[in-house]
Amino acid sequence: MPALRPHLSLAILLLLAAASTLTATEPVDLAVIHKIKQEAFANSKVMDHLFHLTDVHGPRLTNSPGFHSAADWTVERLKSMGLTKVNKEKWGPFGKTWNYTRFSAHLLKPSYSPLIGFPMAWTPGTNGALKGEPILAVIKDEKDFPKWKGKLAGRIVLIDEARETPLLFKPLAQRYSEKDLDDIEAGLVPVGKRPEFDREARRKAMNARAKFLREEGATLVVTAGAKGDGGTVFAAAGGGYREGDEVPPPMIALTPEHYNRIVRLVKEKQAPEIEVEVAATLDNKAAGSYNILAELPGTTKKEEVVMIGAHFDSWHGGTGATDNGAGSAVMIEAMRILKALDVKLPRTVRIALWSGEENGLLGSRAYVKEHFANPEDMKTTEQHAKLAAYFNYDNGSGKIRGVYLQGNDMMRPIFEAWFAPFHDLGAARVTIRNTTGTDHLAFDSVGLPGFQFI
Ligand SMILES: [Zn+2]
């Protein structure tokens, strides 16, 4: 696990939750901030939350057993803190339920080596160990189908070309420098909006290839993953998660160094042999999912709500510590501290831990549609006017450096006031820019003030 500094971020989030109850002209309550900092630094439970979410329950792919057991643990923890309305709020349908319980891969010939890899989500298991000489059949889309028709039956298919793994001269991760932050802050017009990622086009292509490979009788499909090297493997979805999506043959991703070695052996006609075993369960019926909700009731304006949240789901090739166990643990801890300090907040503070984020912000979008507004016709509910703000925490570990205003300039003086007591902790930057790719977008898309931090 990388060195996390969640307590810093946490103190800021707590302030935001507390300060949202103030108007822009009201001063920030330094006495409360002092208490929050004390509790966050001296009595933190954040690493314990994170330990349970990641080391104990493991990956939290939406609706997998790890997701459910981590959710049950979280519900109990939120209840034990004394929060109210702790519940798993259903939404759906989500889609297929997938899990794996065993993976092993080996190069047997021309010489032995264990292979580093993972099965790909929503693909079946191998039904015991599968052994064979792989064939290199690079199939990207339909254009490649005719070339391989009738040639893949009973074969282990290497589906990508060898992927280049250049020597790394740059660090794997980098913090924003002060100059980087200056640049982010300097913009006068909102920028950073990306065109919506075309999930439907990708889904269609994925389904066409899955159907072709299955109908041709390939026994196993091996990829090098789209990114990652130096022993790192990114194994995401091999098949579609939605009911009706085509089921491909079993699929695995190997670290590119190992994948490339097998490709070279095939090309040099060394007749390599590999053995792979995947135990996986795939239920093709669509199941619903749920978000985890809990509240700290407000006092004088308790029907008004400030929301904080993070996505709870993760991919299956790791324990989802940085994406987004850290964000979930910080938000759980924010609620714990507010409750422990017994701060009397006018508005209700509600935590939401989302599912289906990795599949397209599904949990948060479903929640927003149910409670606030339908983005298709923008018809709002009564609750729409009662939501003061939503603060999201995603994008990995590390302390908060500032906030993206999402083009909402009216929030600038408010955030500047809120951040003032946190300048010494490195949180000071307020930029008009947008940031994308996580659950605050579900709120922004229906005109609610949703924010994500720098
Ligand atoms: Zn994330």
Side-chain angles (χ1 to χ4, degrees):
M1 189 184 300
L4 300 174
R5 308 277 306 274
H7 49 287
L8 301 184
S9 315
L10 176 63
I12 293 156
L13 287 162
L14 285 164
L15 166 72
L16 294 172
S20 300
T21 62
L22 309 174
T23 70
T25 52
E26 276 177 336
V28 171
D29 189 337
L30 292 175
V32 169
I33 290 168
H34 176 71
K35 281 205 256 176
I36 286 172
K37 283 183 177 176
Q38 285 288 107
E39 183 67 22
F41 288 121
N43 302 323
S44 177
K45 301 279 185 294
V46 71
M47 293 308 285
D48 187 60
H49 308 320
L50 189 59
F51 165 72
H52 284 275
L53 293 183
T54 58
D55 288 339
V56 177
H57 295 286
R60 298 171 303 285
L61 191 75
T62 295
N63 284 7
S64 66
F67 173 87
H68 291 307
S69 62
D72 289 344
W73 178 86
T74 301
V75 163
E76 285 314 308
R77 177 141 291 197
L78 294 170
K79 281 183 181 164
S80 75
M81 292 174 189
L83 300 179
T84 62
K85 296 189 182 172
V86 183
N87 76 102
K88 298 191 285 193
E89 187 177 303
K90 290 196 172 79
W91 63 269
F94 165 67
K96 303 179 182 188
T97 303
W98 182 82
N99 187 43
Y100 76 107
T101 51
R102 185 178 174 79
F103 173 87
S104 81
H106 314 268
L107 176 67
L108 302 178
K109 289 179 189 167
S111 55
Y112 178 79
S113 173
L115 299 172
I116 299 171
F118 290 92
M120 298 190 74
W122 298 292
T123 74
T126 55
N127 250 329
L130 193 72
K131 217 189 281 190
E133 181 185 343
I135 178 173
L136 177 63
V138 178
I139 302 172
K140 286 189 164 52
D141 52 39
E142 286 168 282
K143 289 194 290 297
D144 300 317
F145 294 172
K147 189 178 171 195
W148 297 106
K149 188 135 190 62
K151 293 177 185 157
L152 305 179
R155 300 302 301 267
I156 294 171
V157 175
L158 305 172
I159 203 152
D160 300 318
E161 250 318 333
R163 183 152 64 77
E164 219 184 311
T165 54
L167 198 55
L168 301 174
F169 292 102
K170 286 184 182 157
L172 289 173
Q174 244 174 319
R175 296 198 65 74
Y176 281 136
S177 67
E178 291 304 319
K179 166 81 174 64
D180 294 335
L181 291 168
D182 287 345
D183 292 344
I184 291 171
E185 221 177 16
L188 296 173
V189 287
V191 292
K193 224 165 213 162
R194 283 187 303 209
E196 277 279 297
F197 171 57
D198 193 348
R199 285 181 184 271
E200 279 312 310
R202 193 180 68 167
R203 181 188 183 203
K204 227 178 122 199
M206 186 188 250
N207 277 331
R209 193 171 78 162
K211 185 165 184 269
F212 176 76
L213 291 163
R214 192 187 67 233
E215 288 178 353
E216 289 298 307
T219 54
L220 176 75
V221 178
V222 187
T223 83
K227 56 179 181 172
D229 53 19
T232 303
V233 189
F234 284 80
Y241 68 91
R242 282 179 274 202
E243 190 175 66
D245 280 333
E246 298 287 345
V247 179
M251 283 182 80
I252 65 167
L254 295 179
T255 185
E257 290 83 355
H258 286 169
Y259 183 86
N260 292 355
R261 179 178 174 191
I262 301 166
V263 170
R264 289 192 295 271
L265 289 168
V266 168
K267 284 185 170 175
E268 293 294 330
K269 302 193 170 31
Q270 293 289 324
E273 185 177 54
I274 68 170
E275 184 185 283
V276 174
E277 183 177 2
V278 177
T281 52
L282 175 64
D283 183 344
N284 286 308
K285 284 194 307 298
S289 188
Y290 51 82
N291 302 311
I292 302 164
L293 277 299
E295 284 187 3
L296 193 61
T299 53
T300 54
K301 296 181 184 173
K302 61 168 173 285
E303 69 292 346
E304 295 183 29
V305 178
V306 175
M307 286 189 71
I308 65 172
H311 73 86
F312 194 76
D313 63 312
S314 74
W315 286 104
H316 59 284
T319 59
T322 54
D323 192 10
N324 187 22
S328 297
V330 163
M331 291 313 197
I332 293 167
E333 179 69 351
M335 296 301 278
R336 185 196 70 77
I337 293 175
L338 287 178
K339 178 67 186 169
L341 295 179
D342 198 23
V343 184
K344 300 292 179 213
L345 300 168
R347 293 180 180 85
T348 294
V349 180
R350 182 184 299 155
I351 181 176
L353 301 170
W354 313 112
S355 64
E357 192 271 354
E358 297 291 4
N359 310 91
L361 323 182
L362 301 181
S364 58
R365 286 193 199 281
Y367 183 88
V368 164
K369 192 172 174 183
E370 172 76 21
H371 290 270
F372 301 120
N374 183 347
E376 277 134 48
D377 57 19
M378 291 302 269
K379 274 204 185 102
T380 57
T381 68
E382 222 176 282
Q383 295 172 67
H384 188 277
K386 305 256 196 250
L387 186 80
Y390 170 70
F391 302 107
N392 192 68
Y393 197 28
D394 192 1
N395 294 5
S397 66
K399 63 184 177 183
I400 286 174
R401 315 288 294 280
V403 69
Y404 295 94
L405 290 177
Q406 305 295 128
N408 190 339
D409 230 343
M410 289 174 290
M411 285 297 290
R412 184 185 293 280
I414 301 174
F415 272 116
E416 281 171 353
W418 292 348
F419 276 129
F422 292 91
H423 286 187
D424 57 342
L425 301 178
R429 306 301 189 121
V430 180
T431 176
I432 193 67
R433 287 193 190 190
N434 297 304
T435 187
T436 59
T438 186
D439 294 297
H440 66 295
L441 294 184
F443 291 78
D444 285 342
S445 70
V446 297
L448 289 167
F451 300 99
Q452 160 73 25
F453 300 95
I454 301 172

